[in-house]
Amino acid sequence: AKLGPASTIMRVHLVRHGEVHNPRSVMYGRLPRFRLSAHGVRQAEEAAAHLASRQLALILCSPMLRARTTARELQRGQARAHRQPQGPPLRQEAALLEVHTPHDGKPLSTFAGRWHALYDDVPEGYETFEAVASRLRSLLARLAADFGEDAEVACVTHGDVVFSARLLAEGLPTTLASKKREDARLYPATASIVSLDVDADGSVRGGAYWAPTRAPDRFTETQAQAPALCGAAAAEEGGGGGGETPARKAKRSRRGVS
């Protein structure tokens, strides 16, 4: 979907990190040392190219390695496109973290086809889906207060955070019930972008969705050509190796958790 001029509102681009190297097909969540696959790096480069025409004032990212790597690709893309030495500032932001769940390390097959079950009977100390969406809304309000109109900021984060952004853009409730109902239709591909139009008070006026052509999951065909959404109006870590079949790759690319 194409974006129009920013006019009197700011624009926040929620970017899901690229595909992750996950040969053991586990839910990596907040586990350390899960890097991008080679395919994921190419996806991140494609996302950077998509945003190259936008003048980003700031890039924020989750502290997770996969998000930091994706964010650096965005920064390099901005530097090339706008002939800057380093591109816009890049900072880590805790509000963009992966969901805090007790299920990290479990096989992906545990929740295949029923990902909303991650949030069933959440033990004390872990996050509900509503809590994930709430920290996104708080971040949007903070950015709206910190930046003036026409500013554009990119936030590199994880699947459920970007999914919450899609719900906001379509004017849908950011609840677990919405997740259960809309997950198959709206869950974002790896390295996809939800670009939100944000008012001065942090409320979302609408937005657009874009997915890379290299997205290797079952959502690619339906989402890569998705139309504009109609809204209401710190050291580096390495990763393990190993091969996998295309089927397993597509399956775990969908989640990990996200």
Side-chain angles (χ1 to χ4, degrees):
K2 292 185 177 180
L3 298 173
S7 67
T8 59
I9 52 183
M10 77 171 298
R11 181 162 289 128
V12 180
H13 306 278
L14 277 297
V15 184
R16 188 182 176 193
H17 59 78
E19 178 194 84
V20 174
H21 183 71
N22 184 17
R24 300 173 74 176
S25 295
V26 300
M27 299 179 65
Y28 41 78
R30 292 190 180 187
L31 297 177
R33 297 184 295 279
F34 277 86
R35 58 179 171 83
L36 294 185
S37 66
H39 185 90
V41 172
R42 291 191 293 271
Q43 287 184 319
E45 291 171 347
E46 191 173 347
H50 176 73
L51 290 177
S53 64
R54 318 303 299 191
Q55 185 79 51
L56 299 180
L58 175 68
I59 300 173
L60 297 175
C61 69
S62 159
M64 305 308 296
L65 175 59
R66 56 194 183 271
R68 301 198 318 263
T69 305
T70 303
R72 282 196 298 272
E73 290 297 337
L74 299 189
Q75 188 182 45
R76 280 193 282 266
Q78 287 283 299
R80 288 191 297 267
H82 303 288
R83 298 182 180 181
Q84 302 167 338
Q86 295 180 319
L90 193 163
R91 298 203 301 261
Q92 294 182 30
E93 170 56 60
L96 297 172
L97 259 170
E98 176 66 277
V99 58
H100 187 33
T101 170
H103 303 297
D104 290 356
K106 292 183 179 179
L108 286 175
S109 57
T110 304
F111 294 100
R114 48 190 294 273
W115 300 104
H116 56 80
L118 287 169
Y119 297 101
D120 289 347
D121 303 317
V122 176
E124 186 176 354
Y126 294 97
E127 284 187 300
T128 62
F129 179 72
E130 288 82 0
V132 174
S134 178
R135 56 179 161 92
L136 171 61
R137 289 196 301 272
S138 295
L139 176 61
L140 294 177
R142 198 156 29 100
L143 290 173
D146 290 345
F147 290 88
E149 62 186 44
D150 299 335
E152 299 202 32
V153 173
C155 299
V156 183
T157 183
H158 305 273
D160 279 8
V161 182
V162 181
F163 177 74
S164 299
R166 291 201 78 180
L167 292 177
L168 289 173
E170 291 210 346
L172 297 171
T174 52
T175 61
L176 183 56
S178 289
K179 180 170 177 60
K180 292 178 179 180
R181 184 173 58 251
E182 303 292 349
D183 205 51
R185 181 173 74 93
L186 294 180
Y187 204 84
T190 47
S192 61
I193 302 171
V194 175
S195 299
L196 299 177
D197 290 338
V198 181
D199 280 317
D201 62 357
S203 60
V204 174
R205 185 182 297 186
Y209 177 78
W210 171 90
T213 58
R214 295 186 175 96
D217 53 46
R218 68 185 179 89
F219 292 85
T220 305
E221 292 182 0
T222 57
Q223 293 184 333
Q225 302 300 324
L229 299 175
C230 297
E236 285 297 324
E237 300 167 295
E244 61 186 322
T245 65
R248 285 186 67 193
K249 182 178 180 181
K251 181 180 178 181
R252 56 87 175 162
S253 175
R254 162 84 161 106
R255 305 281 181 159
V257 179
S258 44

